[in-house]
Short mmCIF file of all heavy atoms in Angstrom, two decimals:
data_model
loop_
_atom_site.label_atom_id
_atom_site.label_comp_id
_atom_site.label_asym_id
_atom_site.label_seq_id
_atom_site.Cartn_x
_atom_site.Cartn_y
_atom_site.Cartn_z
N THR A 23 -9.28 27.92 -4.96
CA THR A 23 -9.39 29.33 -5.33
C THR A 23 -8.13 30.01 -4.84
O THR A 23 -7.29 29.37 -4.21
CB THR A 23 -10.64 29.99 -4.68
OG1 THR A 23 -10.51 29.90 -3.26
CG2 THR A 23 -11.93 29.33 -5.13
N ALA A 24 -8.00 31.28 -5.08
CA ALA A 24 -6.79 32.01 -4.67
C ALA A 24 -6.59 31.89 -3.17
O ALA A 24 -7.42 32.34 -2.39
CB ALA A 24 -6.89 33.46 -5.08
N GLY A 25 -5.52 31.24 -2.77
CA GLY A 25 -5.18 31.11 -1.36
C GLY A 25 -5.88 29.99 -0.61
O GLY A 25 -5.62 29.78 0.57
N VAL A 26 -6.77 29.26 -1.26
CA VAL A 26 -7.47 28.14 -0.61
C VAL A 26 -7.05 26.85 -1.30
O VAL A 26 -7.21 26.71 -2.51
CB VAL A 26 -9.01 28.30 -0.68
CG1 VAL A 26 -9.70 27.11 -0.04
CG2 VAL A 26 -9.44 29.59 0.01
N PHE A 27 -6.51 25.94 -0.52
CA PHE A 27 -5.99 24.69 -1.05
C PHE A 27 -6.73 23.50 -0.45
O PHE A 27 -7.03 23.50 0.75
CB PHE A 27 -4.50 24.55 -0.75
CG PHE A 27 -3.63 25.56 -1.44
CD1 PHE A 27 -3.42 26.81 -0.89
CD2 PHE A 27 -3.05 25.26 -2.66
CE1 PHE A 27 -2.63 27.74 -1.53
CE2 PHE A 27 -2.25 26.18 -3.31
CZ PHE A 27 -2.04 27.43 -2.74
N HIS A 28 -7.01 22.51 -1.29
CA HIS A 28 -7.54 21.23 -0.81
C HIS A 28 -6.33 20.32 -0.63
O HIS A 28 -5.58 20.08 -1.59
CB HIS A 28 -8.52 20.63 -1.82
CG HIS A 28 -9.11 19.34 -1.34
ND1 HIS A 28 -10.07 19.30 -0.36
CD2 HIS A 28 -8.85 18.06 -1.68
CE1 HIS A 28 -10.38 18.04 -0.12
NE2 HIS A 28 -9.64 17.27 -0.90
N VAL A 29 -6.11 19.84 0.59
CA VAL A 29 -4.94 19.03 0.89
C VAL A 29 -5.35 17.61 1.24
O VAL A 29 -6.42 17.38 1.81
CB VAL A 29 -4.09 19.65 2.03
CG1 VAL A 29 -3.57 21.01 1.63
CG2 VAL A 29 -4.87 19.75 3.31
N SER A 30 -4.49 16.65 0.90
CA SER A 30 -4.70 15.24 1.20
C SER A 30 -3.42 14.70 1.80
O SER A 30 -2.32 14.98 1.31
CB SER A 30 -5.03 14.45 -0.07
OG SER A 30 -6.15 14.99 -0.71
N VAL A 31 -3.55 13.92 2.87
CA VAL A 31 -2.41 13.33 3.55
C VAL A 31 -2.62 11.82 3.64
O VAL A 31 -3.71 11.35 3.95
CB VAL A 31 -2.22 13.90 4.97
CG1 VAL A 31 -1.02 13.28 5.66
CG2 VAL A 31 -2.10 15.42 4.93
N ARG A 32 -1.56 11.07 3.36
CA ARG A 32 -1.58 9.62 3.43
C ARG A 32 -0.31 9.16 4.12
O ARG A 32 0.76 9.70 3.87
CB ARG A 32 -1.63 9.01 2.03
CG ARG A 32 -1.45 7.52 2.00
CD ARG A 32 -1.42 6.97 0.58
NE ARG A 32 -1.18 5.55 0.64
CZ ARG A 32 -0.28 4.91 -0.09
NH1 ARG A 32 0.44 5.57 -0.98
NH2 ARG A 32 -0.11 3.62 0.05
N VAL A 33 -0.42 8.17 5.01
CA VAL A 33 0.76 7.57 5.63
C VAL A 33 0.78 6.10 5.22
O VAL A 33 -0.03 5.30 5.66
CB VAL A 33 0.76 7.72 7.16
CG1 VAL A 33 1.95 6.99 7.77
CG2 VAL A 33 0.81 9.21 7.55
N GLU A 34 1.70 5.80 4.33
CA GLU A 34 1.91 4.45 3.81
C GLU A 34 2.67 3.65 4.87
O GLU A 34 3.61 4.16 5.47
CB GLU A 34 2.73 4.60 2.53
CG GLU A 34 3.25 3.39 1.90
CD GLU A 34 4.14 3.71 0.71
OE1 GLU A 34 4.52 4.89 0.50
OE2 GLU A 34 4.45 2.78 -0.02
N LYS A 35 2.25 2.41 5.10
CA LYS A 35 2.87 1.61 6.16
C LYS A 35 3.21 0.22 5.65
O LYS A 35 2.43 -0.39 4.92
CB LYS A 35 1.92 1.51 7.35
CG LYS A 35 2.55 0.97 8.60
CD LYS A 35 1.60 1.12 9.77
CE LYS A 35 2.24 0.61 11.04
NZ LYS A 35 1.33 0.73 12.17
N GLU A 36 4.39 -0.29 6.03
CA GLU A 36 4.83 -1.63 5.67
C GLU A 36 5.36 -2.33 6.92
O GLU A 36 5.83 -1.68 7.85
CB GLU A 36 5.94 -1.57 4.61
CG GLU A 36 5.50 -0.98 3.30
CD GLU A 36 6.59 -0.94 2.25
OE1 GLU A 36 7.77 -1.16 2.59
OE2 GLU A 36 6.26 -0.69 1.08
N THR A 37 5.26 -3.67 6.93
CA THR A 37 5.78 -4.46 8.05
C THR A 37 6.96 -5.30 7.58
O THR A 37 7.04 -5.69 6.42
CB THR A 37 4.70 -5.39 8.64
OG1 THR A 37 4.22 -6.25 7.61
CG2 THR A 37 3.55 -4.60 9.23
N ASN A 38 7.86 -5.59 8.51
CA ASN A 38 9.04 -6.39 8.23
C ASN A 38 8.71 -7.86 8.49
O ASN A 38 8.47 -8.25 9.62
CB ASN A 38 10.21 -5.93 9.10
CG ASN A 38 11.50 -6.67 8.80
OD1 ASN A 38 11.58 -7.46 7.87
ND2 ASN A 38 12.52 -6.40 9.59
N GLU A 39 8.72 -8.66 7.44
CA GLU A 39 8.38 -10.08 7.55
C GLU A 39 9.63 -10.97 7.62
O GLU A 39 9.52 -12.18 7.50
CB GLU A 39 7.48 -10.49 6.37
CG GLU A 39 6.17 -9.75 6.31
CD GLU A 39 5.31 -9.94 7.56
OE1 GLU A 39 5.28 -11.05 8.11
OE2 GLU A 39 4.67 -8.96 7.98
N GLU A 40 10.79 -10.38 7.85
CA GLU A 40 12.03 -11.15 7.97
C GLU A 40 11.99 -11.96 9.27
O GLU A 40 11.74 -11.42 10.35
CB GLU A 40 13.24 -10.20 7.98
CG GLU A 40 14.56 -10.84 8.30
CD GLU A 40 14.99 -11.92 7.33
OE1 GLU A 40 14.60 -11.87 6.14
OE2 GLU A 40 15.73 -12.82 7.75
N LEU A 41 12.23 -13.26 9.16
CA LEU A 41 12.18 -14.15 10.32
C LEU A 41 13.54 -14.30 10.99
O LEU A 41 13.67 -14.21 12.21
CB LEU A 41 11.65 -15.52 9.91
CG LEU A 41 11.51 -16.56 11.01
CD1 LEU A 41 10.52 -16.09 12.06
CD2 LEU A 41 11.06 -17.89 10.43
N ALA A 42 14.60 -14.50 10.21
CA ALA A 42 15.91 -14.83 10.77
C ALA A 42 16.60 -13.62 11.41
O ALA A 42 17.16 -13.75 12.50
CB ALA A 42 16.81 -15.43 9.69
N LYS A 43 16.60 -12.47 10.75
CA LYS A 43 17.32 -11.30 11.25
C LYS A 43 16.42 -10.05 11.18
O LYS A 43 16.70 -9.13 10.41
CB LYS A 43 18.59 -11.08 10.44
CG LYS A 43 19.57 -12.23 10.54
CD LYS A 43 20.79 -11.98 9.69
CE LYS A 43 21.75 -13.15 9.79
NZ LYS A 43 22.94 -12.94 8.98
N PRO A 44 15.38 -10.00 11.99
CA PRO A 44 14.44 -8.88 11.88
C PRO A 44 14.99 -7.54 12.34
O PRO A 44 14.42 -6.50 12.03
CB PRO A 44 13.27 -9.31 12.76
CG PRO A 44 13.87 -10.25 13.75
CD PRO A 44 14.98 -10.95 13.01
N LEU A 45 16.10 -7.53 13.07
CA LEU A 45 16.68 -6.27 13.55
C LEU A 45 17.74 -5.70 12.63
O LEU A 45 18.32 -4.66 12.92
CB LEU A 45 17.26 -6.45 14.96
CG LEU A 45 16.22 -6.69 16.05
CD1 LEU A 45 16.90 -7.01 17.36
CD2 LEU A 45 15.31 -5.48 16.20
N GLU A 46 18.01 -6.39 11.52
CA GLU A 46 19.00 -5.90 10.57
C GLU A 46 18.29 -5.31 9.35
O GLU A 46 17.62 -6.02 8.60
CB GLU A 46 19.94 -7.03 10.16
CG GLU A 46 20.82 -7.49 11.30
CD GLU A 46 21.85 -8.51 10.87
OE1 GLU A 46 22.23 -8.53 9.68
OE2 GLU A 46 22.26 -9.29 11.74
N LEU A 47 18.47 -4.03 9.17
CA LEU A 47 17.78 -3.30 8.10
C LEU A 47 18.13 -3.84 6.72
O LEU A 47 17.27 -3.89 5.83
CB LEU A 47 18.12 -1.81 8.19
CG LEU A 47 17.33 -0.86 7.31
CD1 LEU A 47 15.83 -1.02 7.54
CD2 LEU A 47 17.75 0.57 7.56
N THR A 48 19.35 -4.31 6.54
CA THR A 48 19.76 -4.82 5.23
C THR A 48 19.07 -6.14 4.88
O THR A 48 19.00 -6.51 3.72
CB THR A 48 21.29 -5.03 5.17
OG1 THR A 48 21.68 -5.90 6.23
CG2 THR A 48 22.02 -3.70 5.28
N HIS A 49 18.54 -6.85 5.86
CA HIS A 49 17.84 -8.12 5.61
C HIS A 49 16.31 -7.97 5.66
O HIS A 49 15.60 -8.95 5.53
CB HIS A 49 18.26 -9.17 6.64
CG HIS A 49 19.66 -9.64 6.45
ND1 HIS A 49 20.73 -9.04 7.08
CD2 HIS A 49 20.17 -10.63 5.69
CE1 HIS A 49 21.84 -9.65 6.73
NE2 HIS A 49 21.54 -10.61 5.87
N ALA A 50 15.83 -6.76 5.87
CA ALA A 50 14.39 -6.54 6.03
C ALA A 50 13.62 -6.99 4.79
O ALA A 50 14.08 -6.83 3.66
CB ALA A 50 14.11 -5.07 6.30
N ASP A 51 12.46 -7.58 5.03
CA ASP A 51 11.55 -8.05 3.97
C ASP A 51 10.23 -7.29 4.15
O ASP A 51 9.36 -7.72 4.89
CB ASP A 51 11.35 -9.56 4.10
CG ASP A 51 10.39 -10.11 3.06
OD1 ASP A 51 10.17 -9.45 2.03
OD2 ASP A 51 9.87 -11.22 3.29
N TRP A 52 10.11 -6.14 3.46
CA TRP A 52 8.98 -5.25 3.68
C TRP A 52 7.76 -5.70 2.89
O TRP A 52 7.84 -5.99 1.70
CB TRP A 52 9.34 -3.83 3.31
CG TRP A 52 10.47 -3.29 4.12
CD1 TRP A 52 11.73 -3.03 3.70
CD2 TRP A 52 10.44 -2.97 5.51
NE1 TRP A 52 12.49 -2.55 4.74
CE2 TRP A 52 11.72 -2.52 5.87
CE3 TRP A 52 9.46 -3.02 6.50
CZ2 TRP A 52 12.04 -2.11 7.15
CZ3 TRP A 52 9.78 -2.62 7.78
CH2 TRP A 52 11.05 -2.17 8.10
N THR A 53 6.60 -5.74 3.57
CA THR A 53 5.33 -6.11 2.96
C THR A 53 4.33 -4.99 3.23
O THR A 53 4.19 -4.55 4.38
CB THR A 53 4.80 -7.43 3.56
OG1 THR A 53 5.79 -8.44 3.36
CG2 THR A 53 3.50 -7.85 2.90
N SER A 54 3.63 -4.56 2.20
CA SER A 54 2.65 -3.48 2.35
C SER A 54 1.53 -3.89 3.28
O SER A 54 1.06 -5.02 3.26
CB SER A 54 2.04 -3.11 0.99
OG SER A 54 3.02 -2.53 0.18
#
């Protein structure tokens, strides 16, 4: 209604499955 909003928040998360170079962002292997 006027001035009343229904809001939804989601935080999408992924893990880095890179084995050899897990600290290098360019080699990251992201899995949902």
Side-chain angles (χ1 to χ4, degrees):
T23 61
V26 178
F27 294 85
H28 182 75
V29 298
S30 303
V31 180
R32 171 183 177 229
V33 176
E34 172 185 11
K35 192 170 181 181
E36 296 181 348
T37 58
N38 183 6
E39 299 300 322
E40 171 61 27
L41 181 62
K43 298 179 181 180
L45 291 174
E46 293 186 26
L47 189 55
T48 56
H49 289 91
D51 178 20
W52 299 110
T53 303
S54 293

